[in-house]
Amino acid sequence: MSPTIAHAAYIAAKLGEALAILAGAWLLTTLLRHLLRRLSTRYELAPAFAIGVRRVLNTLIYIAALLLLLNRLGIEGSVVWTTLTGFVAVGAVAFFAAWSVLSNIFCALLILTTRPFRLYDYIEVLEGGDKPGLRGRVVDINFIFTTLQESHASGEDTVLQVPNSQFFQRSTRRWREEPEWSRTAREKAADGPHGSDWQEPAVR
């Protein structure tokens, strides 16, 4: 037998093994689906539970089939497993590192669409129950922070940047007109040495 024919026969054999492994995995998942359907009907299992079990088992079957297929192609399963766990670990670290940023971006979109408050509203982010929290006038909403203009009796002009996710973890009190605490601080500032420096909040 010539080397070319031998090589072609080797490739054909490997392809046959690969097809057999995939066909076996498909047949196993099909049998599993029918078995779970019968068990769900007989024991009145919740459909969501049966679907979840089927998806988990299907994933495990196809992962095992992939490892077996790679092993038949000459790739060690330990190498594949080490590489896979490395990618999973890196992906998990990257996901958790970016989670806070992604969460704030998503919450910004929710704020802009559901509109729990608007620009120039006076709001207070309650720490718990009716305890005083962060409060001020909304002067800017971006993808990461919502900026609040704070009123102080001393007349100082300060802003407070609150992460957008905080508005969905705590209760928010909202005023459309200037509340008493802001008006009181402004009046005290007007009577103090910095009264002439006080001005309406502006978008930053």
Side-chain angles (χ1 to χ4, degrees), residues 49-68:
F49 174 77
I51 292 174
V53 171
R54 188 184 71 189
R55 289 177 178 175
V56 171
L57 294 178
N58 285 350
T59 302
L60 294 176
I61 290 172
Y62 280 112
I63 289 176
L66 177 62
L67 292 175
L68 182 60

Side-chain angles (χ1 to χ4, degrees), residues 32-49:
L32 179 64
R33 182 172 66 251
H34 289 295
L35 178 62
L36 286 175
R37 186 178 300 169
R38 294 185 61 181
L39 290 175
S40 299
T41 304
R42 182 174 180 178
Y43 296 102
E44 298 181 352
L45 299 177
F49 174 77

Side-chain angles (χ1 to χ4, degrees), residues 18-110:
L19 292 176
I21 291 172
L22 294 177
W26 175 81
L27 180 61
L28 190 58
T29 54
T30 302
L31 293 175
L32 179 64
R33 182 172 66 251
H34 289 295
L35 178 62
L36 286 175
R37 186 178 300 169
R38 294 185 61 181
L39 290 175
S40 299
T41 304
R42 182 174 180 178
Y43 296 102
E44 298 181 352
L45 299 177
F49 174 77
I51 292 174
V53 171
R54 188 184 71 189
R55 289 177 178 175
V56 171
L57 294 178
N58 285 350
T59 302
L60 294 176
I61 290 172
Y62 280 112
I63 289 176
L66 177 62
L67 292 175
L68 182 60
L69 177 62
L70 293 175
N71 182 262
R72 299 304 300 171
L73 293 177
I75 302 175
E76 292 293 334
S78 59
V79 176
V80 176
W81 184 254
T82 302
T83 305
L84 180 62
T85 53
F87 277 118
V88 171
V90 172
V93 171
F95 176 79
F96 284 112
W99 171 247
S100 60
V101 176
L102 296 176
S103 175
N104 285 321
I105 293 175
F106 180 69
C107 290
L109 296 176
L110 289 179

